[in-house]
Amino acid sequence: MKKKKLSYKDAGVDIDAQAEVLNRIRGLLKSTYSKSVLAELGTFGALFSLDKKKFKKPILVSSVDGVGTKLKVAFMTGIHDTIGLDLVNHCVNDIFVQGATPLFFLDYIASGKLNPAVLEKIVKGIARGCKETGCSLIGGETAEMPDFYREGEYDVAGFICGVVEKDSIIDGSTIVEDDLIIGLPSSGLHTNGYSLARKVIFEVAGLKCDSYVEEFGRTVGEELLQPHRCYYNQLKHAVSKGLVKGMAHITGGGLYDNIPRIIPNGVVARIRKGGWYIPPIFSYLQAVGNIADREMYRTFNMGIGMALVIAQDSYDAFEHEMKQVQEKFCLIGEIDKGEKRITIR
């Protein structure tokens, strides 16, 4: 008996689907290009020229991240165009806290079987996030891995590179006693704490994505897929004017683990509970899940997506900058002498 000739497609990898994906997203990538992008999509490596005229002592700042199990909600709802935006916004925030301007972004998307339409939606969200922050989406990787992911599931990761002047790096080293801690509001869970949130909502409460929750004013799916906020455009002018001493992106680890990352030895960040609006999703999760206060503040952002430290005499100037961009903020604490890096009371 003549043996059947096997192909890569027989093993579960469709090269034609990969080609279709590239054709679908080619225009999305080009829409984000700046003059510094030197290579077209399809080259082995992406080329980016740093404009040396703009910088005296440029320092590159890079980061890589994903969106965690928020992806599970995208799978459940079939809504995929916000996941890419989450990815970019998270990564931009991560390098911006050190004062970096985003330059370029690359993505990695892996699935068991490529769905070109879904991939296009994901990349559409990535391109949107890049365009909103002036960041070029210069390449990435789309991997089809049969038998590795469940049907209809995928994973995404993003790599970002930015630049900051060496003399303008924000590292919190100048933070001293009596400085003020400012909080900027989150849009909800952002991209952290979803494993616990899903357990409470779908297992303990027994809700579904299309369940309407009065406290939220919308369905579970709509609440959980609120995009992760990016703070770059709101804060870049305040940062360029030297008004910010330190910034902490409140992601995994919540307030307890992220604010101490910018606090120097010898001082403590004292956070006052009740000093800001906490979206109802957090009180709902705490009540239904019977979650302790410390667990809440270490798992979730609790309504604060970005925390800043400024000098007292910079407050009026900072307030002016926030009014210019119509950004709400609140005073959530102050810097004091002490050995502990943070207290929340």
Side-chain angles (χ1 to χ4, degrees):
M1 181 181 293
K2 189 175 181 180
K3 290 185 178 180
K4 178 184 177 182
K5 291 183 178 180
L6 292 177
S7 67
Y8 210 1
K9 191 171 184 178
D10 292 323
V13 179
D14 190 342
I15 297 176
D16 291 332
Q18 293 179 345
E20 182 182 346
V21 169
L22 289 176
N23 287 330
R24 282 173 175 258
I25 67 175
R26 192 178 302 274
L28 293 172
L29 268 68
K30 285 187 175 182
S31 70
T32 70
Y33 286 0
S34 68
K35 293 180 180 179
S36 295
V37 180
L38 303 182
E40 293 290 328
L41 178 65
T43 57
F44 286 96
L47 303 178
F48 189 93
S49 175
L50 183 63
D51 188 351
K52 295 181 180 179
K53 293 181 180 179
K54 290 184 178 181
F55 304 97
K56 297 178 180 178
K57 295 181 180 180
I59 301 296
L60 297 179
V61 185
S62 60
S63 183
V64 61
D65 221 313
V67 297
T69 62
K70 187 172 187 175
L71 290 174
K72 288 284 190 181
V73 185
F75 304 155
M76 295 167 72
T77 60
I79 298 173
H80 305 281
D81 54 357
T82 58
I83 289 299
L85 183 60
D86 286 322
L87 185 65
V88 175
N89 288 352
H90 187 133
C91 288
V92 170
N93 287 340
D94 276 353
I95 64 167
F96 179 54
V97 296
Q98 292 174 286
T101 298
L103 293 176
F104 60 82
F105 193 89
L106 298 98
D107 62 69
Y108 173 80
I109 307 173
S111 62
K113 183 176 177 59
L114 286 180
N115 183 324
V118 170
L119 267 290
E120 183 180 13
K121 290 178 181 178
I122 298 169
V123 176
K124 185 176 181 180
I126 294 174
R128 174 187 165 188
C130 286
K131 285 191 287 187
E132 289 177 354
T133 54
C135 186
S136 297
L137 176 56
I138 60 175
E141 166 70 1
T142 302
E144 189 170 32
M145 302 164 64
D147 304 323
F148 200 83
Y149 294 93
R150 294 179 182 176
E151 185 177 352
E153 295 192 353
Y154 56 83
D155 195 13
V156 296
F159 169 85
I160 192 168
C161 183
V163 63
V164 61
E165 285 284 6
K166 187 174 182 179
D167 296 337
S168 300
I169 295 173
I170 299 174
D171 59 9
S173 60
T174 62
I175 293 173
V176 295
E177 181 185 4
D178 295 330
D179 283 345
L180 306 176
I181 305 173
I182 303 295
L184 269 61
S186 70
S187 55
L189 296 181
H190 279 185
T191 51
N192 295 98
Y194 273 79
S195 294
L196 178 55
R198 289 186 303 105
K199 186 174 185 65
V200 171
I201 290 174
F202 299 124
E203 293 184 27
V204 178
L207 300 180
K208 299 183 181 300
C209 282
D210 59 0
S211 299
Y212 183 87
V213 178
E214 193 68 36
E215 293 96 316
F216 305 162
R218 51 193 166 201
T219 66
V220 166
E222 290 170 334
E223 177 65 35
L224 295 183
L225 287 178
Q226 286 300 299
H228 191 131
R229 285 196 68 198
C230 181
Y231 300 93
Y232 174 71
N233 289 324
Q234 286 76 12
L235 291 172
K236 62 183 180 182
H237 294 301
V239 167
S240 69
K241 294 181 178 180
L243 300 177
V244 179
K245 291 186 170 188
M247 287 192 285
H249 184 201
I250 310 303
T251 57
L255 294 167
Y256 270 115
D257 286 359
N258 285 292
I259 292 180
R261 296 167 71 174
I262 63 167
I263 304 299
N265 293 328
V267 294
V268 58
R270 300 201 186 280
I271 306 297
R272 297 189 302 272
K273 288 182 181 179
W276 67 90
Y277 171 74
I278 298 179
I281 179 65
F282 298 106
S283 56
Y284 178 89
L285 291 172
Q286 184 168 22
V288 175
N290 191 29
I291 304 171
D293 270 9
R294 182 176 177 83
E295 185 72 14
M296 290 294 297
Y297 281 84
R298 198 178 182 198
T299 302
F300 303 110
N301 64 59
M302 297 303 289
I304 299 296
M306 184 74 79
L308 323 170
V309 178
I310 65 173
Q312 284 198 35
D313 58 11
S314 296
Y315 183 87
D316 289 344
F318 180 81
E319 182 179 41
H320 174 75
E321 291 298 326
M322 294 302 96
K323 286 182 178 179
Q324 297 303 304
V325 293
Q326 299 181 326
E327 174 63 33
K328 295 180 180 179
F329 71 94
C330 50
L331 180 62
I332 65 172
E334 60 281 322
I335 301 297
D336 198 359
K337 286 184 179 179
E339 295 304 319
K340 289 184 177 180
R341 306 296 284 278
I342 184 171
T343 64
I344 302 177
R345 60 188 181 186

